[in-house]
Amino acid sequence: MDFVKPILLVGIGGAGSKMANNAASLVGADVFAISHDSNDLSSHHDIKIHAESYINPSAYLIRAEAQKAEQKIRDKFSNYKTIVVFANLAGKSGCAVSPMVATIAKEDGKHVLSIGIMPFRFEKERLFLSGVTLKRLRSSSDSTIVVDNDALLEANPDLTASKCYEITNHAVMYVINSLASSNISDNLNILSTSKNEKDIETSLRESIQMLYEDAPPKAIKKTMLYVFGTDNVSVGKINSVVNTITGVFNENNTGVSLATTQGDKSQVVMVSSVEGTLKFDSYDPLGVIPKENTLDWDVPESSIKTGIDLYQLE
């Protein structure tokens, strides 16, 4: 994917807005947030989705209210070439608004990178909607990076949920800070990393283990390998890591690129382009139905006021 300046970062929901604001300070890009919760918004540039009249509104209601702000969102995009969308797909605002935002940007001819955070597997009530949202987000983005905290937890069951968030959020910031010098595949990409910050070979093994929680080896087509903390890492070790990952993924089928940065902590982060059936496909039982055979695909589901005096359960 090409990152053409000027770039605008859009944070959706609580986690999305925090990540977008943190990323903006790193890359010097403009940023704004969208949410139905005022606590997620911190600037007059942000867009509030008004759903106050509902107690515990569903994602479908939030989406219906968000559609009223479509022109305002288009106006904010007008002076930018690339839109980067940060969304927590375990949250209501992220599921409700992110596909709409990506679609608006794509319709207006922007380059669109979306970064979606998937729920933990034990959050069973959130899996279906997150799976559907990811599918729609991918269809409206030039490139999508999936951050799966659940895979990190599966590979490291001793971690707390908050520690998983901390590790993966830092990994996303590493990648965003390196966008100008790296190349993200125009496809679905899985971000994987590790809890280890001492030895890059151990960090690599943990990153591969996390990746395999989401995608089988044959699904991996290309990997962008980020090695951080090269002040403490010898050239020989970096070469060994590259050779290891090339051998694991089969150099004839998987391309490996390398980006290095200086720093006092040593860690590996991988962004791997994948194809085929993934863990997230099981979140939506109807996901096996091709898009061309789905009647209502073009318009995401939303709850709207029809003016008819009928009780609506939300």
Side-chain angles (χ1 to χ4, degrees), residues 102-151:
T103 298
I104 291 172
K106 198 63 181 172
E107 288 176 349
D108 289 353
K110 313 299 182 183
H111 299 272
V112 184
L113 168 65
S114 56
I115 300 173
I117 307 167
M118 300 302 289
F120 290 104
R121 183 65 69 94
F122 57 75
E123 299 177 289
K124 295 185 182 297
E125 74 283 358
R126 300 180 178 183
L127 296 182
F128 171 74
L129 191 56
S130 69
V132 173
T133 302
L134 177 60
K135 188 176 179 181
R136 288 191 176 277
L137 196 57
R138 289 173 58 188
S139 70
S140 298
S141 303
D142 294 296
S143 181
T144 300
I145 297 176
V146 177
V147 182
D148 189 18
N149 288 296
D150 183 66

Side-chain angles (χ1 to χ4, degrees), residues 28-313:
D30 293 334
V31 61
F32 79 96
I34 305 174
S35 180
H36 76 291
D37 187 344
S38 299
N39 294 323
D40 301 335
L41 310 177
S42 58
S43 168
H44 68 279
H45 296 293
D46 298 338
I47 295 178
K48 172 73 185 310
I49 305 302
H50 296 284
E52 295 89 347
S53 58
Y54 301 95
I55 298 175
N56 192 22
S58 69
Y60 305 109
L61 273 170
I62 295 171
R63 180 178 292 142
E65 294 300 316
Q67 289 168 349
K68 300 175 183 178
E70 179 177 334
Q71 189 56 51
K72 188 182 295 186
I73 295 171
R74 287 188 189 275
D75 292 342
K76 286 186 175 292
F77 289 172
S78 60
N79 296 323
Y80 299 91
K81 298 294 186 181
T82 300
I83 308 297
V84 182
V85 180
F86 296 82
N88 178 15
L89 303 190
K92 292 182 180 179
S93 286
C95 286
V97 182
S98 59
M100 185 187 78
V101 169
T103 298
I104 291 172
K106 198 63 181 172
E107 288 176 349
D108 289 353
K110 313 299 182 183
H111 299 272
V112 184
L113 168 65
S114 56
I115 300 173
I117 307 167
M118 300 302 289
F120 290 104
R121 183 65 69 94
F122 57 75
E123 299 177 289
K124 295 185 182 297
E125 74 283 358
R126 300 180 178 183
L127 296 182
F128 171 74
L129 191 56
S130 69
V132 173
T133 302
L134 177 60
K135 188 176 179 181
R136 288 191 176 277
L137 196 57
R138 289 173 58 188
S139 70
S140 298
S141 303
D142 294 296
S143 181
T144 300
I145 297 176
V146 177
V147 182
D148 189 18
N149 288 296
D150 183 66
L152 180 61
L153 186 60
E154 287 290 330
N156 303 275
D158 57 313
L159 292 177
T160 63
S162 60
K163 187 62 177 178
C164 287
Y165 293 135
E166 178 185 335
I167 292 171
T168 53
N169 287 355
H170 284 162
V172 171
M173 293 304 108
Y174 290 152
V175 173
I176 293 297
N177 197 31
S178 302
L179 287 180
S181 60
S182 60
N183 182 29
I184 302 297
S185 173
D186 294 346
N187 206 328
L188 179 66
N189 300 275
I190 304 294
L191 183 146
S192 58
T193 186
S194 71
K195 65 177 182 180
N196 187 281
E197 295 181 340
K198 296 180 180 179
D199 178 75
I200 64 166
E201 292 177 324
T202 302
S203 180
L204 175 64
R205 288 194 296 271
E206 292 182 3
S207 299
I208 293 173
Q209 184 179 357
M210 179 180 172
L211 175 61
Y212 281 176
E213 292 291 337
D214 289 328
K218 291 183 179 179
I220 301 162
K221 301 303 176 185
K222 182 179 179 181
T223 292
M224 187 70 208
L225 182 66
Y226 298 86
V227 179
F228 299 93
T230 52
D231 285 349
N232 302 321
V233 181
S234 68
V235 175
K237 272 204 170 184
I238 294 176
N239 183 63
S240 175
V241 164
V242 173
N243 289 338
T244 297
I245 196 170
T246 301
V248 168
F249 293 153
N250 188 340
E251 61 183 337
N252 295 323
N253 297 327
T254 305
V256 178
S257 301
L258 176 68
T260 60
T261 62
Q262 297 178 337
D264 57 351
K265 294 183 179 180
S266 301
Q267 191 172 13
V268 168
V269 176
M270 292 163 39
V271 177
S272 305
S273 172
V274 295
E275 295 178 357
T277 303
L278 308 175
K279 181 175 80 173
F280 315 116
D281 295 325
S282 65
Y283 290 0
D284 174 14
L286 302 180
V288 295
I289 302 175
K291 176 182 174 181
E292 58 271 17
N293 294 338
T294 306
L295 294 177
D296 63 346
W297 172 260
D298 291 335
V299 181
E301 297 82 359
S302 61
S303 297
I304 60 174
K305 294 180 179 180
T306 62
I308 302 174
D309 190 17
L310 294 175
Y311 178 74
Q312 185 171 353
L313 179 63

